[in-house]
Amino acid sequence: MLLLIDARKMKTILPVMLLGFVLSALGGCIRSNDYMPSSGATGEKIFKEACVQCHTPVSGNVMILKPEMTNADAIMERVKNGKGIGMPAFPNLTGDSAQSLAEYVLGNSVAR
């Protein structure tokens, strides 16, 4: 049996399909946030294990930071609490691990 869809139905179906694709792609970044760094893990190792799935390096830089994110405290706060649906909170990244990650991000990023 041949399935034919008229143009009016396609105009409705296409946006729904596109939305589904976008949401499934974002689902990769909205994952379990129970990451636990190994003892003594460097900021680079933590970034590669917990962050690189969603934060792909750009032009050799880890990230392009907004001016308000160009200090370690702001980065550690974002890691601890997350932001919206795209950035999960990482409650296990605290203390030296969070500081090490923040320093790595700052040392390998540029401000916008």
Side-chain angles (χ1 to χ4, degrees), residues 25-37 46 49-54 79-82 84-93:
L26 284 175
C29 293
I30 305 169
R31 64 195 185 292
S32 172
N33 59 9
D34 59 355
Y35 169 78
M36 176 66 82
I46 294 168
E49 291 177 349
C51 309
V52 80
Q53 294 94 341
C54 298
V79 168
K80 177 183 174 186
N81 296 316
I85 64 168
M87 173 68 188
F90 288 86
N92 295 328
L93 279 172

Side-chain angles (χ1 to χ4, degrees), residues 40-78:
T42 65
E44 180 178 16
K45 181 176 173 135
I46 294 168
F47 185 86
K48 287 180 178 177
E49 291 177 349
C51 309
V52 80
Q53 294 94 341
C54 298
H55 296 283
T56 306
V58 177
S59 301
N61 296 302
V62 170
M63 289 186 209
I64 299 172
L65 300 172
K66 293 180 179 180
E68 64 269 16
M69 294 302 297
T70 57
N71 66 76
D73 290 335
I75 293 170
M76 291 188 303
E77 184 70 21
R78 179 68 52 87

Side-chain angles (χ1 to χ4, degrees), residues 62 65 69-73 75 99-111:
V62 170
L65 300 172
M69 294 302 297
T70 57
N71 66 76
D73 290 335
I75 293 170
Q99 184 70 39
S100 179
L101 175 61
E103 290 172 4
Y104 175 76
V105 169
L106 287 172
N108 292 281
S109 298
V110 294

